[in-house]
Each structure stands twice: as C-alpha cells, then as structure tokens.
Amino acid sequence: MKFIEATSFFVRAIMFDFVNRCEDIKLKFKLAPMIHIGSKEYYHNTIENLKHCDEIFYEGINLIEKKSPIYKKLSLKNLNLTFNQYKIIANKLDLVTQSECFDLSQLEGKLIHTDFDTETGKQAWNGLGFLEKLKLTFILPLKLYIFSQGISRKIFAKHFMESSKEAYLAYGPLEDEPGTSRSFIMNEREQIIFKNIRDKIETQSKKDKTIGIIYGAGHMNSIARYLIDNFNYVPRNGKFIKVFDVI
C-alpha cells in the first residue's frame, strides 16, 4: 500500500480506515502516517481528521535522561541530535517539525502510548552493540547534516519517491535483524503496537469504535499488513492530506 505519495509538485500522506470483512467485528482502525517535517497545515489537518476517533495509539520514545561524561554519552537521550537536524532541515525549507506543531494536547483523553517507555527503551537500547549505538547517536545525525547541505523542497520530495523506496528495499538494512539499530527503530517498536492492536481486537472487537494510529509513515505498511494478514481487515476511505508543496 502507498501511504506517502511524492511528485514534482507536492508530497501528500494518505490516511486509511481499516474495517473488518466480518460484519460482527465492529472495531475499526484509522492509520495516520506521519512525516517528521511538513507544513503547519499538514499537522493541523491530521489532528482534525483524528478528533472523531474514540482512542488513539501514538508513537514517541521516552528519552532517558542521564548525566554522563562525554566519553560515555552513547545513551538513548542523544537521539535528540537527530531531532535537532530535523529542525535545521525544516528551517531551511520554510517548513516545521512534527515535534513543534503536532499538538497532541488537542486529543487529550484519547491517547494511549504505544512505544518504548523509559524502562523498555532502556532495555532495548542496552541490547545494542557499541557500533549500533554509534550509528544512532552520531552517524545518523551526521548523515542528516550532510543531506541538509544544499537542500531544497524538490530534493527533499525525491526522498519519498518510489525510486528511492525501491533502492532502499534492494540495498538497505534488514528491519528485523536482532541487535541492530534499524531493528531498534523499526521492528521492535512495531511489536509494541502489534500487541496493543491484538489486545484491543481480542477484548473489544464487538464495540463500534474507531482507534486512530499515529505512527511514522515508514511503519505504516507493516501495521497495515498486520491488520490485513492476521485479522482480516481491509482498507477503506483513503484520504489525501498534503504534507507540503514542492513548488
């Protein structure tokens, strides 16, 4: 499935409702793919489309605060270096970041955290080797810094195009290889949301309610396949939400 569409004119996200083929199962899910950098309107429109949901699963790693000397600073909290680079890129593109403008307080009372908390995040982080921690703490921010040099909206949009995705699938790292930084960011966090989905279906499948899922766009195909392959859900009511204009 496509949750992000990129062209030479715009980048837009596609939000889907997932309903069950069995009429007796009333529980529905709404998948809201997120990009870390976009327009204020994108984040506002996403929030507006989620307000009717009864509950909302949302991502967000709780960073571990830890005072350490510089030589020991390979800690989870240093993922902030990556978010700082997102902010720099957004400023160069006259856009904003998700952390700045995606106001979850508007959905207060509906939110269920489905990501690493302080304890599970610490355990997962400690399971990484030194080199994998180094990749997340310093190498990824460095790659983003290099990527930001001479950045334009046109260049940024190409990052979301099909050719880029195909190259990543062909040459990129495996997302479920244990002990890797990629598994830490992708597969291990997805297992948390899978468990929450499974628990809701097992206990509330007969309830006529909608659960929104706010997660990074890169996770959405895995979440969609989990619903389709394991619980007989199908996508409905695709809705485009523009992330930003290219020109």
Side-chain angles (χ1 to χ4, degrees):
M1 291 185 63
K2 289 183 65 173
F3 285 93
I4 298 294
E5 183 181 39
T7 74
S8 298
F9 304 99
F10 56 78
V11 173
R12 59 187 182 182
I14 309 171
M15 188 180 293
F16 288 99
D17 293 328
F18 276 73
V19 299
N20 205 281
R21 292 179 184 272
C22 176
E23 293 183 357
D24 291 337
I25 297 178
K26 305 297 184 182
L27 183 65
K28 297 180 287 292
F29 295 88
K30 179 180 285 291
L31 271 57
M34 299 306 301
I35 295 178
H36 289 303
I37 297 171
S39 65
K40 291 181 180 179
E41 292 76 18
Y42 162 57
Y43 297 115
H44 170 77
N45 289 337
T46 300
I47 289 285
E48 290 300 311
N49 277 276
L50 290 166
K51 284 184 175 179
H52 76 278
C53 293
D54 300 284
E55 295 177 355
I56 296 172
F57 294 165
Y58 74 101
E59 67 175 337
I61 300 175
N62 285 347
L63 302 181
I64 299 170
E65 295 298 329
K66 180 180 178 182
K67 293 183 179 179
S68 304
I70 188 67
Y71 61 87
K72 289 186 178 180
K73 282 196 172 181
L74 285 180
S75 63
L76 186 58
K77 71 174 185 178
N78 283 303
L79 293 181
N80 279 327
L81 294 176
T82 295
F83 296 116
N84 289 341
Q85 289 301 318
Y86 290 149
K87 172 66 174 170
I88 291 169
I89 293 171
N91 287 341
K92 289 184 176 182
L93 300 177
D94 194 26
L95 296 171
V96 296
T97 63
Q98 178 181 346
S99 58
E100 289 178 291
C101 291
F102 193 62
D103 186 8
L104 285 173
S105 68
Q106 296 185 51
L107 304 172
E108 196 169 354
K110 300 181 178 184
L111 297 171
I112 300 172
H113 186 241
T114 52
D115 207 335
F116 289 136
D117 57 26
T118 300
E119 186 57 35
T120 57
K122 183 178 180 180
Q123 291 173 1
W125 181 260
N126 289 339
L128 298 178
F130 177 82
L131 290 179
E132 296 301 317
K133 291 178 180 178
L134 190 66
K135 287 179 185 178
L136 287 174
T137 305
F138 294 115
I139 295 177
L140 177 56
L142 179 60
K143 286 182 176 179
L144 287 171
Y145 171 77
I146 295 170
F147 175 69
S148 71
Q149 304 308 298
I151 191 71
S152 66
R153 291 194 184 190
K154 184 176 182 179
I155 292 172
F156 188 47
K158 287 183 178 180
H159 176 71
F160 302 101
M161 291 183 178
E162 287 301 313
S163 57
S164 178
K165 294 178 183 177
E166 289 170 1
Y168 178 84
L169 289 172
Y171 304 108
L174 296 175
E175 296 189 345
D176 59 353
E177 186 174 348
T180 63
S181 56
R182 189 63 184 174
S183 179
F184 172 83
I185 291 295
M186 299 298 290
N187 181 62
E188 292 182 47
R189 296 169 65 211
E190 288 168 2
Q191 300 312 307
I192 298 171
I193 196 164
F194 292 167
K195 180 182 183 304
N196 280 267
I197 289 171
R198 186 168 61 250
D199 289 348
K200 288 293 182 181
I201 293 173
E202 289 176 353
T203 60
Q204 300 184 26
S205 63
K206 304 296 185 182
K207 291 187 177 182
D208 188 7
K209 63 187 293 187
T210 299
I211 298 176
I213 300 180
I214 304 170
Y215 241 77
H219 297 273
M220 282 299 168
N221 273 318
S222 295
I223 296 171
R225 290 309 325 174
Y226 186 74
L227 287 166
I228 293 167
D229 297 339
N230 293 281
F231 299 105
N232 211 26
Y233 277 82
V234 292
R236 293 284 188 269
N237 308 321
K239 183 172 184 178
F240 293 107
I241 300 179
K242 187 179 291 183
V243 180
F244 61 87
D245 287 310
V246 173
I247 54 174

PDB file of all heavy atoms in Angstrom, residues 207-233:
ATOM      1  N   LYS A 207     -17.221  -3.869  19.804  1.00  0.00           N
ATOM      2  CA  LYS A 207     -17.582  -2.477  20.063  1.00  0.00           C
ATOM      3  C   LYS A 207     -17.482  -1.647  18.782  1.00  0.00           C
ATOM      4  O   LYS A 207     -16.536  -1.770  18.023  1.00  0.00           O
ATOM      5  CB  LYS A 207     -16.671  -1.885  21.135  1.00  0.00           C
ATOM      6  CG  LYS A 207     -16.895  -2.457  22.518  1.00  0.00           C
ATOM      7  CD  LYS A 207     -16.077  -1.697  23.568  1.00  0.00           C
ATOM      8  CE  LYS A 207     -16.364  -2.226  24.958  1.00  0.00           C
ATOM      9  NZ  LYS A 207     -15.602  -1.471  25.989  1.00  0.00           N
ATOM     10  N   ASP A 208     -18.466  -0.801  18.575  1.00  0.00           N
ATOM     11  CA  ASP A 208     -18.473   0.083  17.410  1.00  0.00           C
ATOM     12  C   ASP A 208     -17.664   1.329  17.752  1.00  0.00           C
ATOM     13  O   ASP A 208     -18.202   2.336  18.219  1.00  0.00           O
ATOM     14  CB  ASP A 208     -19.902   0.454  17.038  1.00  0.00           C
ATOM     15  CG  ASP A 208     -19.977   1.216  15.720  1.00  0.00           C
ATOM     16  OD1 ASP A 208     -18.932   1.339  15.046  1.00  0.00           O
ATOM     17  OD2 ASP A 208     -21.069   1.694  15.373  1.00  0.00           O
ATOM     18  N   LYS A 209     -16.358   1.250  17.547  1.00  0.00           N
ATOM     19  CA  LYS A 209     -15.471   2.346  17.888  1.00  0.00           C
ATOM     20  C   LYS A 209     -14.310   2.376  16.896  1.00  0.00           C
ATOM     21  O   LYS A 209     -14.049   1.396  16.197  1.00  0.00           O
ATOM     22  CB  LYS A 209     -14.948   2.213  19.322  1.00  0.00           C
ATOM     23  CG  LYS A 209     -14.115   0.970  19.555  1.00  0.00           C
ATOM     24  CD  LYS A 209     -13.757   0.779  21.035  1.00  0.00           C
ATOM     25  CE  LYS A 209     -12.818   1.836  21.553  1.00  0.00           C
ATOM     26  NZ  LYS A 209     -12.362   1.530  22.948  1.00  0.00           N
ATOM     27  N   THR A 210     -13.643   3.518  16.857  1.00  0.00           N
ATOM     28  CA  THR A 210     -12.504   3.694  15.950  1.00  0.00           C
ATOM     29  C   THR A 210     -11.270   4.042  16.761  1.00  0.00           C
ATOM     30  O   THR A 210     -11.301   4.949  17.597  1.00  0.00           O
ATOM     31  CB  THR A 210     -12.772   4.807  14.923  1.00  0.00           C
ATOM     32  OG1 THR A 210     -13.917   4.457  14.141  1.00  0.00           O
ATOM     33  CG2 THR A 210     -11.575   4.995  14.004  1.00  0.00           C
ATOM     34  N   ILE A 211     -10.188   3.324  16.488  1.00  0.00           N
ATOM     35  CA  ILE A 211      -8.901   3.605  17.117  1.00  0.00           C
ATOM     36  C   ILE A 211      -7.976   4.201  16.074  1.00  0.00           C
ATOM     37  O   ILE A 211      -7.681   3.573  15.044  1.00  0.00           O
ATOM     38  CB  ILE A 211      -8.282   2.328  17.713  1.00  0.00           C
ATOM     39  CG1 ILE A 211      -9.191   1.760  18.812  1.00  0.00           C
ATOM     40  CG2 ILE A 211      -6.887   2.623  18.267  1.00  0.00           C
ATOM     41  CD1 ILE A 211      -8.699   0.449  19.385  1.00  0.00           C
ATOM     42  N   GLY A 212      -7.533   5.423  16.304  1.00  0.00           N
ATOM     43  CA  GLY A 212      -6.553   6.049  15.424  1.00  0.00           C
ATOM     44  C   GLY A 212      -5.156   5.548  15.749  1.00  0.00           C
ATOM     45  O   GLY A 212      -4.854   5.227  16.899  1.00  0.00           O
ATOM     46  N   ILE A 213      -4.313   5.463  14.735  1.00  0.00           N
ATOM     47  CA  ILE A 213      -2.920   5.049  14.934  1.00  0.00           C
ATOM     48  C   ILE A 213      -2.016   6.101  14.314  1.00  0.00           C
ATOM     49  O   ILE A 213      -1.986   6.268  13.090  1.00  0.00           O
ATOM     50  CB  ILE A 213      -2.646   3.665  14.318  1.00  0.00           C
ATOM     51  CG1 ILE A 213      -3.542   2.607  14.971  1.00  0.00           C
ATOM     52  CG2 ILE A 213      -1.167   3.298  14.471  1.00  0.00           C
ATOM     53  CD1 ILE A 213      -3.341   1.208  14.424  1.00  0.00           C
ATOM     54  N   ILE A 214      -1.324   6.840  15.170  1.00  0.00           N
ATOM     55  CA  ILE A 214      -0.381   7.871  14.728  1.00  0.00           C
ATOM     56  C   ILE A 214       1.022   7.284  14.818  1.00  0.00           C
ATOM     57  O   ILE A 214       1.552   7.085  15.913  1.00  0.00           O
ATOM     58  CB  ILE A 214      -0.471   9.126  15.618  1.00  0.00           C
ATOM     59  CG1 ILE A 214      -1.891   9.687  15.662  1.00  0.00           C
ATOM     60  CG2 ILE A 214       0.514  10.184  15.146  1.00  0.00           C
ATOM     61  CD1 ILE A 214      -2.069  10.772  16.714  1.00  0.00           C
ATOM     62  N   TYR A 215       1.609   6.995  13.664  1.00  0.00           N
ATOM     63  CA  TYR A 215       2.964   6.421  13.650  1.00  0.00           C
ATOM     64  C   TYR A 215       3.677   6.897  12.392  1.00  0.00           C
ATOM     65  O   TYR A 215       3.047   7.337  11.424  1.00  0.00           O
ATOM     66  CB  TYR A 215       2.905   4.895  13.671  1.00  0.00           C
ATOM     67  CG  TYR A 215       3.564   4.278  14.889  1.00  0.00           C
ATOM     68  CD1 TYR A 215       2.935   4.275  16.130  1.00  0.00           C
ATOM     69  CD2 TYR A 215       4.841   3.716  14.813  1.00  0.00           C
ATOM     70  CE1 TYR A 215       3.533   3.722  17.248  1.00  0.00           C
ATOM     71  CE2 TYR A 215       5.452   3.166  15.922  1.00  0.00           C
ATOM     72  CZ  TYR A 215       4.797   3.165  17.141  1.00  0.00           C
ATOM     73  OH  TYR A 215       5.400   2.634  18.239  1.00  0.00           O
ATOM     74  N   GLY A 216       5.006   6.812  12.432  1.00  0.00           N
ATOM     75  CA  GLY A 216       5.793   7.223  11.281  1.00  0.00           C
ATOM     76  C   GLY A 216       5.365   6.504  10.018  1.00  0.00           C
ATOM     77  O   GLY A 216       5.011   5.320  10.051  1.00  0.00           O
ATOM     78  N   ALA A 217       5.398   7.223   8.891  1.00  0.00           N
ATOM     79  CA  ALA A 217       4.947   6.646   7.622  1.00  0.00           C
ATOM     80  C   ALA A 217       5.702   5.370   7.276  1.00  0.00           C
ATOM     81  O   ALA A 217       5.147   4.458   6.661  1.00  0.00           O
ATOM     82  CB  ALA A 217       5.105   7.683   6.512  1.00  0.00           C
ATOM     83  N   GLY A 218       6.973   5.281   7.681  1.00  0.00           N
ATOM     84  CA  GLY A 218       7.770   4.102   7.385  1.00  0.00           C
ATOM     85  C   GLY A 218       7.275   2.840   8.074  1.00  0.00           C
ATOM     86  O   GLY A 218       7.609   1.726   7.664  1.00  0.00           O
ATOM     87  N   HIS A 219       6.478   2.997   9.114  1.00  0.00           N
ATOM     88  CA  HIS A 219       5.921   1.852   9.836  1.00  0.00           C
ATOM     89  C   HIS A 219       4.573   1.409   9.286  1.00  0.00           C
ATOM     90  O   HIS A 219       4.093   0.314   9.620  1.00  0.00           O
ATOM     91  CB  HIS A 219       5.719   2.213  11.315  1.00  0.00           C
ATOM     92  CG  HIS A 219       6.971   2.542  12.054  1.00  0.00           C
ATOM     93  ND1 HIS A 219       7.760   1.591  12.657  1.00  0.00           N
ATOM     94  CD2 HIS A 219       7.570   3.734  12.296  1.00  0.00           C
ATOM     95  CE1 HIS A 219       8.789   2.175  13.248  1.00  0.00           C
ATOM     96  NE2 HIS A 219       8.693   3.474  13.048  1.00  0.00           N
ATOM     97  N   MET A 220       3.935   2.234   8.479  1.00  0.00           N
ATOM     98  CA  MET A 220       2.532   2.016   8.156  1.00  0.00           C
ATOM     99  C   MET A 220       2.264   0.770   7.324  1.00  0.00           C
ATOM    100  O   MET A 220       1.245   0.100   7.507  1.00  0.00           O
ATOM    101  CB  MET A 220       1.951   3.249   7.459  1.00  0.00           C
ATOM    102  CG  MET A 220       1.626   4.378   8.410  1.00  0.00           C
ATOM    103  SD  MET A 220       0.378   3.851   9.622  1.00  0.00           S
ATOM    104  CE  MET A 220       0.444   5.191  10.800  1.00  0.00           C
ATOM    105  N   ASN A 221       3.161   0.416   6.409  1.00  0.00           N
ATOM    106  CA  ASN A 221       2.932  -0.802   5.635  1.00  0.00           C
ATOM    107  C   ASN A 221       2.958  -2.030   6.527  1.00  0.00           C
ATOM    108  O   ASN A 221       2.158  -2.956   6.344  1.00  0.00           O
ATOM    109  CB  ASN A 221       3.974  -0.938   4.513  1.00  0.00           C
ATOM    110  CG  ASN A 221       3.552  -0.213   3.258  1.00  0.00           C
ATOM    111  OD1 ASN A 221       2.400  -0.270   2.862  1.00  0.00           O
ATOM    112  ND2 ASN A 221       4.480   0.495   2.635  1.00  0.00           N
ATOM    113  N   SER A 222       3.846  -2.054   7.512  1.00  0.00           N
ATOM    114  CA  SER A 222       3.900  -3.185   8.440  1.00  0.00           C
ATOM    115  C   SER A 222       2.629  -3.266   9.273  1.00  0.00           C
ATOM    116  O   SER A 222       2.086  -4.360   9.495  1.00  0.00           O
ATOM    117  CB  SER A 222       5.120  -3.049   9.359  1.00  0.00           C
ATOM    118  OG  SER A 222       6.318  -3.150   8.639  1.00  0.00           O
ATOM    119  N   ILE A 223       2.149  -2.115   9.746  1.00  0.00           N
ATOM    120  CA  ILE A 223       0.927  -2.095  10.554  1.00  0.00           C
ATOM    121  C   ILE A 223      -0.271  -2.523   9.708  1.00  0.00           C
ATOM    122  O   ILE A 223      -1.127  -3.306  10.155  1.00  0.00           O
ATOM    123  CB  ILE A 223       0.715  -0.702  11.159  1.00  0.00           C
ATOM    124  CG1 ILE A 223       1.849  -0.370  12.138  1.00  0.00           C
ATOM    125  CG2 ILE A 223      -0.636  -0.612  11.866  1.00  0.00           C
ATOM    126  CD1 ILE A 223       1.859   1.068  12.626  1.00  0.00           C
ATOM    127  N   ALA A 224      -0.336  -2.021   8.474  1.00  0.00           N
ATOM    128  CA  ALA A 224      -1.433  -2.390   7.579  1.00  0.00           C
ATOM    129  C   ALA A 224      -1.424  -3.891   7.297  1.00  0.00           C
ATOM    130  O   ALA A 224      -2.469  -4.563   7.352  1.00  0.00           O
ATOM    131  CB  ALA A 224      -1.335  -1.606   6.275  1.00  0.00           C
ATOM    132  N   ARG A 225      -0.233  -4.444   6.996  1.00  0.00           N
ATOM    133  CA  ARG A 225      -0.145  -5.873   6.707  1.00  0.00           C
ATOM    134  C   ARG A 225      -0.533  -6.695   7.933  1.00  0.00           C
ATOM    135  O   ARG A 225      -1.149  -7.760   7.799  1.00  0.00           O
ATOM    136  CB  ARG A 225       1.273  -6.256   6.278  1.00  0.00           C
ATOM    137  CG  ARG A 225       1.740  -5.780   4.931  1.00  0.00           C
ATOM    138  CD  ARG A 225       0.848  -6.060   3.765  1.00  0.00           C
ATOM    139  NE  ARG A 225       0.104  -7.308   3.777  1.00  0.00           N
ATOM    140  CZ  ARG A 225      -0.793  -7.618   2.857  1.00  0.00           C
ATOM    141  NH1 ARG A 225      -1.070  -6.777   1.886  1.00  0.00           N
ATOM    142  NH2 ARG A 225      -1.450  -8.767   2.921  1.00  0.00           N
ATOM    143  N   TYR A 226      -0.204  -6.213   9.121  1.00  0.00           N
ATOM    144  CA  TYR A 226      -0.561  -6.929  10.344  1.00  0.00           C
ATOM    145  C   TYR A 226      -2.081  -7.026  10.477  1.00  0.00           C
ATOM    146  O   TYR A 226      -2.625  -8.087  10.800  1.00  0.00           O
ATOM    147  CB  TYR A 226       0.037  -6.230  11.555  1.00  0.00           C
ATOM    148  CG  TYR A 226      -0.161  -6.975  12.850  1.00  0.00           C
ATOM    149  CD1 TYR A 226       0.581  -8.122  13.130  1.00  0.00           C
ATOM    150  CD2 TYR A 226      -1.087  -6.549  13.796  1.00  0.00           C
ATOM    151  CE1 TYR A 226       0.409  -8.827  14.314  1.00  0.00           C
ATOM    152  CE2 TYR A 226      -1.271  -7.241  14.984  1.00  0.00           C
ATOM    153  CZ  TYR A 226      -0.523  -8.381  15.241  1.00  0.00           C
ATOM    154  OH  TYR A 226      -0.702  -9.078  16.417  1.00  0.00           O
ATOM    155  N   LEU A 227      -2.779  -5.924  10.207  1.00  0.00           N
ATOM    156  CA  LEU A 227      -4.234  -5.915  10.276  1.00  0.00           C
ATOM    157  C   LEU A 227      -4.857  -6.790   9.188  1.00  0.00           C
ATOM    158  O   LEU A 227      -5.821  -7.528   9.430  1.00  0.00           O
ATOM    159  CB  LEU A 227      -4.752  -4.484  10.139  1.00  0.00           C
ATOM    160  CG  LEU A 227      -4.540  -3.572  11.345  1.00  0.00           C
ATOM    161  CD1 LEU A 227      -4.789  -2.114  10.957  1.00  0.00           C
ATOM    162  CD2 LEU A 227      -5.448  -3.977  12.504  1.00  0.00           C
ATOM    163  N   ILE A 228      -4.307  -6.730   7.995  1.00  0.00           N
ATOM    164  CA  ILE A 228      -4.854  -7.470   6.855  1.00  0.00           C
ATOM    165  C   ILE A 228      -4.595  -8.969   6.998  1.00  0.00           C
ATOM    166  O   ILE A 228      -5.509  -9.801   6.851  1.00  0.00           O
ATOM    167  CB  ILE A 228      -4.244  -6.948   5.537  1.00  0.00           C
ATOM    168  CG1 ILE A 228      -4.699  -5.514   5.267  1.00  0.00           C
ATOM    169  CG2 ILE A 228      -4.614  -7.866   4.366  1.00  0.00           C
ATOM    170  CD1 ILE A 228      -3.913  -4.808   4.159  1.00  0.00           C
ATOM    171  N   ASP A 229      -3.344  -9.335   7.285  1.00  0.00           N
ATOM    172  CA  ASP A 229      -2.943 -10.740   7.261  1.00  0.00           C
ATOM    173  C   ASP A 229      -3.401 -11.518   8.492  1.00  0.00           C
ATOM    174  O   ASP A 229      -3.654 -12.726   8.408  1.00  0.00           O
ATOM    175  CB  ASP A 229      -1.418 -10.853   7.145  1.00  0.00           C
ATOM    176  CG  ASP A 229      -0.895 -10.271   5.837  1.00  0.00           C
ATOM    177  OD1 ASP A 229      -1.684 -10.161   4.882  1.00  0.00           O
ATOM    178  OD2 ASP A 229       0.305  -9.933   5.780  1.00  0.00           O
ATOM    179  N   ASN A 230      -3.505 -10.846   9.631  1.00  0.00           N
ATOM    180  CA  ASN A 230      -3.797 -11.556  10.866  1.00  0.00           C
ATOM    181  C   ASN A 230      -5.247 -11.436  11.327  1.00  0.00           C
ATOM    182  O   ASN A 230      -5.740 -12.320  12.036  1.00  0.00           O
ATOM    183  CB  ASN A 230      -2.883 -11.060  11.986  1.00  0.00           C
ATOM    184  CG  ASN A 230      -1.435 -11.416  11.760  1.00  0.00           C
ATOM    185  OD1 ASN A 230      -1.016 -12.538  12.007  1.00  0.00           O
ATOM    186  ND2 ASN A 230      -0.663 -10.449  11.280  1.00  0.00           N
ATOM    187  N   PHE A 231      -5.931 -10.359  10.906  1.00  0.00           N
ATOM    188  CA  PHE A 231      -7.257 -10.128  11.462  1.00  0.00           C
ATOM    189  C   PHE A 231      -8.322  -9.828  10.413  1.00  0.00           C
ATOM    190  O   PHE A 231      -9.414  -9.398  10.742  1.00  0.00           O
ATOM    191  CB  PHE A 231      -7.199  -8.993  12.488  1.00  0.00           C
ATOM    192  CG  PHE A 231      -6.289  -9.294  13.651  1.00  0.00           C
ATOM    193  CD1 PHE A 231      -5.047  -8.684  13.746  1.00  0.00           C
ATOM    194  CD2 PHE A 231      -6.658 -10.213  14.622  1.00  0.00           C
ATOM    195  CE1 PHE A 231      -4.192  -8.965  14.807  1.00  0.00           C
ATOM    196  CE2 PHE A 231      -5.815 -10.505  15.684  1.00  0.00           C
ATOM    197  CZ  PHE A 231      -4.576  -9.878  15.781  1.00  0.00           C
ATOM    198  N   ASN A 232      -7.974 -10.015   9.130  1.00  0.00           N
ATOM    199  CA  ASN A 232      -8.978  -9.926   8.066  1.00  0.00           C
ATOM    200  C   ASN A 232      -9.533  -8.510   7.872  1.00  0.00           C
ATOM    201  O   ASN A 232     -10.694  -8.337   7.484  1.00  0.00           O
ATOM    202  CB  ASN A 232     -10.128 -10.898   8.347  1.00  0.00           C
ATOM    203  CG  ASN A 232     -10.768 -11.423   7.082  1.00  0.00           C
ATOM    204  OD1 ASN A 232     -10.128 -11.480   6.025  1.00  0.00           O
ATOM    205  ND2 ASN A 232     -12.029 -11.801   7.165  1.00  0.00           N
ATOM    206  N   TYR A 233      -8.697  -7.499   8.133  1.00  0.00           N
ATOM    207  CA  TYR A 233      -9.110  -6.118   7.885  1.00  0.00           C
ATOM    208  C   TYR A 233      -8.804  -5.726   6.447  1.00  0.00           C
ATOM    209  O   TYR A 233      -7.917  -6.307   5.797  1.00  0.00           O
ATOM    210  CB  TYR A 233      -8.394  -5.160   8.840  1.00  0.00           C
ATOM    211  CG  TYR A 233      -9.059  -5.050  10.199  1.00  0.00           C
ATOM    212  CD1 TYR A 233      -8.820  -5.991  11.186  1.00  0.00           C
ATOM    213  CD2 TYR A 233      -9.930  -4.005  10.487  1.00  0.00           C
ATOM    214  CE1 TYR A 233      -9.435  -5.898  12.430  1.00  0.00           C
ATOM    215  CE2 TYR A 233     -10.550  -3.900  11.722  1.00  0.00           C
ATOM    216  CZ  TYR A 233     -10.304  -4.849  12.686  1.00  0.00           C
ATOM    217  OH  TYR A 233     -10.913  -4.746  13.907  1.00  0.00           O
TER     218      TYR A 233
END
